[in-house]
Structures are given as structure tokens and as C-alpha cells.
Amino acid sequence: ILNVEQSPQSLHVQEGDSTNFTCSFPSSNFYALHWYRWETAKSPEALFVMTLNGDEKKKGRISATLNTKEGYSYLYIKGSQPEDSATYLCAPLNSGAGSYQLTFGKGTKLSVIP
Amino acid sequence: DGGITQSPKYLFRKEGQNVTLSCEQNLNHDAMYWYRQDPGQGLRLIYYSQIVNDFQKGDIAEGYSVSREKKESFPLTVTSAQKNPTAFYLCASNPGTAGELFFGEGSRLTVL
């Protein structure tokens, strides 16, 4: 099982603040990196699937970058809103022996204070 | 609307009983997955199926069984052999093994 680290474990920010969190993963056999947002009492939803080193993706106020050589990804939220409160999961997808395996980190729980 | 439906949402079981959690999808996805979440842990893969009538063990398959007789359905049975079955269970699917996952809303199993 891969060691996927997300930091911080949790954070509280004021509405309007920008924030970022980190996902670290082994870079060997890397195929893709998934980010999911999981709001309380809802299903996790995919934010981004990133594959290329140096990739940067954006969806509204949320963006993510990827460094496959050193094995990390950053997720940025600009001008946080209360509706951004959720747990953010990253999951590297690794290939090996003809199959793909997605390994989830423990997540970063974001609380945005109005 | 297309999506994944898990049932029941909450389930209580006595020790020694088997229980089956249902997962149905109408997204026409080939691959389906079962994950387990425990407090302070990431989602852990129990079983997955890439195609009908085929499935593979994930990282924590002991004490669980699955079937994939139809493309739309991937039920998970938690057997009495599972030593610590109280957990939150998530079902997911995707069109291919490398694509983003689509999740159900989960089933919370409590063993009394």
C-alpha cells in the first residue's frame, strides 16, 4: 500500500482567505493524481484528474498543480467561501503488473468561517 | 438522473450475522469498487470489478465477498469472518480503471 500524505490534517480559515494544502506520494509507477471534494452527508466528487508533470488545472476558485518527479501536488482555494467547507482527498493512481491502483490519503478537512 | 445508489444508508447487525450492502449504478460504467472508511484513515479498497463476472481483492478483502452478475450491480457481503465490520462503506464506479470515480452516498454499518 502506497504512503500518501496530506497536510494539514485540518484547518480553519476566515471567509475570503486563500488557502492551500499538500498531497505527497511516491513518484515511482505514477500514472495520475486525483483530487476529490467530500462534503458532509454527500458523496465525494472529483475535482481534478492530473497526469502530466507540471500540469495545472483550474475549476472556478480552485486550482491544483502537479509535480510527478518529486511526488507532490498542491490544491489552492482562492477567496474561500463557506460552501468550500469539506474534506479534500487526494489519490495517486499507480500502474503495475497490468493493473491500476488508486490509493487515498486521509484528507484535509477545511472549515471556512463566515 | 444517472448515478450510484447504495442501500441501506444505515444498518445494524448482531455479531455473527452476514449482511449485504447493495450498490447499483445506471452510468453504464464497466468498473465498480467498494471502499471502507474508518475514523482517521483514508479510504481503503475492499474489492473491485473491472467487468461483469470478474472481480479482484483489494487491500482489505478478508471477511468480505462480492459478486458481479450484472453490469449495474456490485453487492458487498460483510461476513461474520470480518473481525471489525463497524465502518462506513462507499461504492464507486468509473468507465475505465484510470478515470475519475463516481461515488454513492455510502452505507454505515454498526455491529452491536
Side-chain angles (χ1 to χ4, degrees):
Chain A
I1 298 178
L2 291 184
N3 184 27
V4 181
E5 306 246 349
Q6 288 191 248
S7 62
Q9 197 171 359
S10 66
L11 74 163
H12 295 77
V13 302
Q14 290 291 136
E15 182 176 352
D17 287 350
S18 294
T19 187
N20 64 85
F21 8 103
T22 306
C23 173
S24 303
F25 51 88
S27 54
S28 58
N29 299 320
F30 174 86
Y31 187 85
L33 191 283
H34 292 208
W35 278 102
Y36 292 86
R37 174 168 59 199
W38 193 358
E39 295 179 64
T40 303
K42 293 187 178 180
S43 313
E45 289 186 343
L47 285 172
F48 306 112
V49 176
M50 310 172 78
T51 55
L52 300 175
N53 184 45
D55 217 1
E56 183 169 342
K57 296 219 172 183
K58 191 173 180 182
K59 185 183 281 189
R61 294 178 291 98
I62 304 177
S63 60
T65 60
L66 177 66
N67 183 320
T68 61
K69 292 183 180 177
E70 296 182 36
Y72 64 83
S73 176
Y74 294 136
L75 189 81
Y76 301 91
I77 302 179
K78 185 177 176 182
S80 303
Q81 299 297 309
E83 59 265 30
D84 295 328
S85 297
T87 297
Y88 292 82
L89 305 175
C90 79
L93 182 69
N94 287 68
S95 61
S99 68
Y100 297 92
Q101 179 90 349
L102 200 62
T103 304
F104 283 86
K106 295 179 183 180
T108 292
K109 185 173 183 179
L110 173 66
S111 300
V112 181
I113 304 162
Chain B
D1 283 0
I4 298 183
T5 302
Q6 288 187 241
S7 62
K9 203 166 183 177
Y10 299 95
L11 185 60
F12 296 88
R13 178 194 107 174
K14 291 183 180 178
E15 276 194 38
Q17 289 181 335
N18 292 355
V19 291
T20 297
L21 306 180
S22 168
C23 178
E24 304 278 329
Q25 55 103 354
N26 59 5
L27 300 168
N28 200 33
H29 287 168
D30 285 319
M32 296 187 74
Y33 309 80
W34 274 105
Y35 289 91
R36 169 181 171 140
Q37 193 206 26
D38 294 282
Q41 300 235 25
L43 297 177
R44 292 184 291 166
L45 183 64
I46 305 172
Y47 266 99
Y48 65 101
S49 167
Q50 295 178 322
I51 199 166
V52 175
N53 292 322
D54 186 54
F55 48 83
Q56 280 80 41
K57 293 181 180 179
D59 300 317
I60 54 165
E62 187 175 346
Y64 299 98
S65 66
V66 292
S67 62
R68 186 88 187 274
E69 295 176 4
K70 299 186 299 181
K71 189 175 186 177
E72 303 79 24
S73 178
F74 191 40
L76 174 75
T77 297
V78 185
T79 75
S80 56
Q82 169 47 236
K83 293 180 179 161
N84 188 17
T86 294
F88 186 72
Y89 293 87
L90 271 172
C91 179
S93 70
N94 65 2
T97 51
E100 69 179 73
L101 294 178
F102 293 78
F103 286 90
E105 292 192 338
S107 294
R108 185 168 296 281
L109 172 64
T110 303
V111 174
L112 304 172

